[in-house]
Amino acid sequence: MARIEELEKRIRILEDIEEIRLLKARYCAYCDDGYDADGIAGLFTEEAVWDGGIRGKGEGREGIRAFFQRAPQRLPFAVHMVMNPIIEVDGDTGWGTWYLFQPCTFAEGNRAVWGSARYDEEYVRIDGKWMFRSLKLTAFFWTPFDKGWAREQFA
């Protein structure tokens, strides 16, 4: 009996990790669809924090929604490519890190830009659904497309 319970626990953890991967994929899809503020905000808990460092901060679901309503004015185009996830779960909570590589357009000057950063995230399961409790973006670089990250870094 203990072996079956252990197997069920291991399967539950794997399913939880996969659900968190899908949560992140939805986040990226909403961002790449013109920063769908309602879609993005719906992935976060009521008291969540989205912290983009130099990009700004949204506190609470409504603060996150308001932040992303303005995002297309700064970044009219973006493709969020996330990779190398490390995801840990413990019951109804979880933690994760992801790396971001992002081609995008800065509206100011209509500039093509490369960006790279790390996401540090906390997750919580509410009513059977995984959500973001916090998301912190730590930039490695944002640089003009034509110059690359080695020749000119501006942030």
Side-chain angles (χ1 to χ4, degrees):
M1 188 62 140
R3 182 157 165 79
I4 292 174
E5 289 172 1
E6 178 63 25
L7 186 58
E8 287 174 347
K9 180 180 176 185
R10 290 173 59 201
I11 291 170
R12 177 75 256 162
I13 290 170
L14 292 173
E15 289 175 342
D16 290 341
I17 290 170
E18 185 59 23
E19 288 174 26
I20 291 169
R21 286 180 195 269
L22 291 172
L23 172 69
K24 187 65 174 183
R26 287 183 189 98
Y27 169 83
C28 292
Y30 286 137
C31 288
D32 296 343
D33 187 23
Y35 290 98
D36 178 340
D38 292 332
I40 293 167
L43 302 175
F44 287 81
T45 65
E46 288 291 338
E47 66 284 342
V49 175
W50 185 96
D51 183 355
I54 63 170
R55 299 274 165 251
K57 189 174 193 177
E59 296 188 49
R61 183 178 290 153
E62 292 312 310
I64 293 167
R65 183 186 326 274
F67 177 85
F68 281 103
Q69 286 171 336
R70 297 183 306 271
Q73 297 163 7
R74 294 183 313 274
L75 291 173
F77 168 79
V79 176
H80 290 67
M81 294 181 279
V82 293
M83 59 203 86
N84 301 357
I86 298 173
I87 301 168
E88 302 282 337
V89 294
D90 183 10
D92 289 334
T93 59
W95 307 265
T97 60
W98 302 76
Y99 285 90
L100 169 69
F101 189 69
Q102 178 177 315
C104 58
T105 303
F106 279 11
E108 182 183 325
N110 193 35
R111 294 185 291 167
V113 172
W114 291 116
S116 180
R118 185 185 72 236
Y119 286 106
D120 292 289
E121 302 170 344
E122 294 179 17
Y123 318 104
V124 62
R125 183 182 6 230
I126 298 175
D127 296 328
K129 179 180 172 186
W130 284 100
M131 303 182 83
F132 292 103
R133 182 185 317 193
S134 70
L135 181 155
K136 181 177 182 191
L137 181 71
T138 303
F140 296 131
F141 62 79
W142 298 97
T143 187
F145 170 81
D146 60 331
K147 301 210 176 176
W149 48 89
R151 289 174 53 201
E152 182 178 337
Q153 294 185 34
F154 55 85

